[in-house]
């Protein structure tokens, strides 16, 4: 979904072109909105090298409202053996430079029986976007490790205002908590039901920490103002909200107790719940749980905890007025 011009995008194109020239089948599904800052010559270069490129949900003037549906998934599959899933895009933001820190994010490398399932997710969008269905059959399967933990794959396929599988996943995960909930999302706009679930969990003795972005670092400041207006009830009930200081946090993580973790592409906001095609995984694998816990722990040390008094003294026109107005259209954010 997220691609911008720069060194990282150029290196990515060079790697794909080299593999295509070596005879590897390379297929690329790109969201037509999420990569709209890249020029046409970028895609022409890839296609000339033999890379097959299709664009998800191009704008159609006959149905302009359909353009709101995006694929926000980040998925890389290699030889039927390995899959990478997480929140990172193809952009220099994730590298940083001499003046700025890298964006905080998380990616997971997966192998074994889950890879064919992820391939099915890819094929779904490949064929929907106009790609040819006759994919090569000569993929290579790796034997799953005997100790491989169960992994739950949750795609946000065709979400509606009535039901969102991603929202159901995250809310049920919150309900299951008994000791702690650590939640990270750069865009944090929980609806009233989700707020009540978090407050009820806190009142039952569950530790709740939320990691999100600062106004200075977030790339969509209007989302920050809409989110900020929702923090009051959470703060009043003792829920801890931390703003990551080095740069934007783009990680989407949910850690429950000492045994269940959820990561992927979905933010904690209406767009991810009801508009985007997303892809999350959840597991009780202790290795991933420990890795995510370490990411959280380090991020909290580099964050500033929000205070209730600061929230109560927020600006009338920037936070209350503008944030309130943005919330009227929060389903489209």
């Amino acid at each position: 979904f997220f691609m911008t011009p720069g060194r990282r995008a150029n290196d990515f194109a060079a790697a794909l072109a080299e593999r295509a020239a070596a005879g590897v089948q390379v297929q690329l599904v790109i969201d037509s909105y999420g990569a709209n800052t890249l020029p046409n010559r970028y895609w022409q270069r890839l296609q000339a090298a033999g890379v097959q490129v299709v664009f998800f949900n191009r704008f159609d003037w006959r149905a302009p409202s359909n353009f709101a549906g995006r694929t926000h998934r980040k998925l890389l599959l290699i030889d039927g053996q390995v899959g990478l899933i997480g929140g990172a895009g193809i952009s220099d933001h994730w590298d940083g430079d001499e003046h700025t820190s890298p964006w905080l994010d998380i990616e997971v490398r997966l192998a074994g029986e889950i890879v064919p399932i992820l391939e099915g997710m890819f094929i779904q969008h490949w064929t929907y976007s106009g790609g040819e269905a006759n994919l090569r059959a000569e993929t290579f399967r790796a034997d799953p490790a005997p100790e491989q933990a169960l992994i739950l794959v949750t795609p946000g396929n065709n979400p509606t205002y009535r039901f969102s599988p991603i929202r159901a996943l995250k809310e049920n995960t919150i309900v299951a908590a008994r000791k702690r909930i650590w939640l990270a999302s750069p865009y944090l706009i929980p609806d009233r039901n989700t707020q009540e679930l978090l407050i009820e969990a806190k009142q039952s003795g569950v530790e709740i920490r939320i990691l999100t972005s600062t106004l200075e670092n977030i790339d969509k400041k209007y989302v920050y103002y809409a989110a900020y207006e929702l923090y009051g009830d959470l703060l009043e009930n003792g829920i801890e909200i931390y703003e990551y200081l080095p740069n934007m946090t783009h990680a989407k993580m949910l850690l429950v107790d000492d045994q269940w973790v959820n990561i992927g592409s979905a933010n904690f906001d209406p767009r991810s719940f009801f508009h985007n095609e997303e892809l999350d995984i959840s597991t009780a694998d202790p290795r991933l749980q420990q890795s995510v816990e370490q990411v959280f722990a380090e991020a909290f040390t580099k964050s500033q905890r929000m205070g209730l008094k600061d929230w109560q003294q927020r600006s009338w026109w920037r936070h209350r007025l503008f944030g309130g107005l943005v919330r009227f259209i929060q389903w489209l954010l």
Side-chain angles (χ1 to χ4, degrees):
F1 175 83
F2 197 112
M3 295 185 71
T4 61
R7 182 179 62 84
R8 179 61 60 190
N10 293 337
D11 289 348
F12 183 68
L16 293 181
E18 188 277 329
R19 286 291 81 201
V24 175
Q25 183 185 47
V26 182
Q27 297 170 314
L28 198 58
V29 178
I30 300 297
D31 187 84
S32 59
Y33 175 80
N36 63 5
T37 58
L38 288 169
N40 288 333
R41 63 178 180 275
Y42 182 89
W43 310 114
Q44 292 167 355
R45 171 192 170 192
L46 286 172
Q47 291 169 328
V51 177
Q52 302 173 52
V53 181
V54 297
F55 293 91
F56 183 89
N57 201 18
R58 288 182 181 272
F59 180 78
D60 186 346
W61 64 269
R62 295 168 298 183
S65 62
N66 290 344
F67 194 63
R70 313 286 2 132
T71 178
H72 193 244
R73 299 176 181 178
K74 287 85 174 177
L75 176 65
L76 175 64
L77 298 166
I78 302 171
D79 287 343
Q81 289 186 309
V82 174
L84 297 179
I85 190 171
I90 309 298
S91 171
D92 293 348
H93 291 307
W94 279 268
D95 295 320
D97 55 34
E98 63 272 18
H99 304 295
T100 60
S101 299
W103 282 12
L104 176 65
D105 219 327
I106 185 168
E107 292 281 312
V108 176
R109 180 186 186 275
L110 301 167
E113 295 178 333
I114 190 175
V115 177
I117 297 173
L118 296 175
E119 285 181 330
M121 305 296 176
F122 175 85
I123 294 170
Q124 175 200 40
H125 278 178
W126 175 259
T127 55
Y128 171 82
S129 303
E132 295 183 3
N134 56 335
L135 305 183
R136 289 184 180 176
E138 60 267 31
T139 54
F140 304 94
R141 304 291 178 207
D143 293 332
E147 71 280 4
Q148 189 175 33
L150 174 69
I151 299 177
L152 174 66
V153 181
T154 307
N157 290 339
N158 302 317
T160 72
Y161 72 93
R162 290 189 179 91
F163 177 72
S164 162
I166 292 290
R167 178 175 180 257
L169 167 72
K170 294 186 184 294
E171 289 190 345
N172 279 289
T173 301
I174 290 170
V175 170
R178 294 296 178 266
K179 294 193 298 183
R180 71 170 172 181
I181 297 170
W182 288 3
L183 187 158
S185 179
Y187 316 119
L188 183 69
I189 309 181
D191 59 25
R192 189 60 205 169
N193 185 64
T194 305
Q195 291 178 62
E196 291 175 354
L197 291 177
L198 289 169
I199 291 170
E200 289 173 5
K202 178 62 180 179
Q203 292 174 345
S204 69
V206 175
E207 176 198 47
I208 302 181
R209 295 187 184 186
I210 297 175
L211 179 69
T212 190
S213 298
T214 66
L215 174 61
E216 291 73 22
N217 292 330
I218 195 170
D219 63 338
K220 298 177 181 177
K221 299 192 183 302
Y222 57 88
V223 176
Y224 179 90
Y225 287 120
Y228 200 86
E229 278 301 289
L230 300 173
Y231 292 163
D233 287 346
L234 302 179
L235 293 169
E236 287 176 354
N237 283 276
I239 293 173
E240 303 173 25
I241 301 177
Y242 294 83
E243 294 185 329
Y244 186 68
L245 296 175
N247 205 331
M248 179 164 167
T249 172
H250 196 259
K252 304 92 165 60
M253 305 181 290
L254 181 56
L255 179 64
V256 169
D257 298 338
D258 296 321
Q259 54 187 287
W260 190 250
V261 62
N262 161 245
I263 68 165
S265 65
N267 294 300
F268 219 90
D269 68 350
R271 167 149 286 282
S272 280
F273 290 169
F274 301 108
H275 291 285
N276 289 345
E277 300 269 334
E278 303 282 2
L279 190 57
D280 275 14
I281 62 166
S282 305
T283 182
D285 188 317
R287 295 166 297 182
L288 183 56
Q289 180 267 322
Q290 291 167 12
S291 296
V292 170
E293 183 178 39
Q294 290 172 5
V295 174
F296 265 118
E298 182 177 355
F300 287 139
T301 66
K302 299 178 180 178
S303 301
Q304 177 176 290
R305 182 175 173 181
M306 188 180 299
L308 178 59
K309 287 186 177 180
D310 293 332
W311 184 85
Q312 291 171 336
Q313 296 171 2
R314 67 198 185 281
S315 165
W316 270 100
W317 71 272
R318 284 193 307 168
H319 293 96
R320 304 185 193 218
L321 179 59
F322 182 64
L325 289 173
V326 174
R327 284 182 59 199
F328 277 114
I329 57 170
Q330 67 179 359
W331 275 52
L332 299 177
L333 297 179

